[in-house]
Amino acid sequence: AKTNYPPIIKSVKKQKKNWEIYFNEFKKQKLNSNFEKTTKNEFFWALSISHSRAFSGPYEGRGPKERNSEIGFVVFLVFGYLLAGLGNF
């Protein structure tokens, strides 16, 4: 569904831009062969799933600094999960 609500459009564009940055940093790490196979769509899917489950509702950060730290925590959890060998792509 599409929306014409400017705050949502702005927020989605900002999120896409940030996630592009996170993906590019992720690919630079070259941690192991499993990470090198990760596609942008898979990475974005992992971020969207973990973000929607972990940080919606009253526990969402109150400002940009707090929200960025939450996103950093999500990225840390994704890396930890994969590095521990608990999942695969």
Side-chain angles (χ1 to χ4, degrees), residues 47-71:
L47 286 178
S48 66
I49 292 299
S50 59
H51 189 266
S52 70
R53 301 300 186 272
F55 304 111
S56 63
Y59 300 106
E60 193 172 84
R62 298 205 188 304
K65 186 175 180 180
E66 191 173 335
R67 288 183 180 168
N68 285 338
S69 68
E70 290 173 350
I71 290 172

Side-chain angles (χ1 to χ4, degrees), residues 15-67:
Q15 179 176 312
K16 285 181 179 181
K17 180 181 175 184
N18 286 336
W19 285 12
E20 285 283 338
I21 292 168
Y22 301 152
F23 179 74
N24 292 333
E25 289 299 315
F26 170 77
K27 292 304 266 188
K28 287 180 187 176
Q29 299 302 312
K30 304 225 183 257
L31 299 169
N32 68 37
S33 62
N34 284 335
F35 287 116
E36 291 177 15
K37 296 176 188 173
T38 304
T39 67
K40 189 183 295 186
N41 284 339
E42 290 169 331
F43 186 82
F44 286 7
W45 174 84
L47 286 178
S48 66
I49 292 299
S50 59
H51 189 266
S52 70
R53 301 300 186 272
F55 304 111
S56 63
Y59 300 106
E60 193 172 84
R62 298 205 188 304
K65 186 175 180 180
E66 191 173 335
R67 288 183 180 168

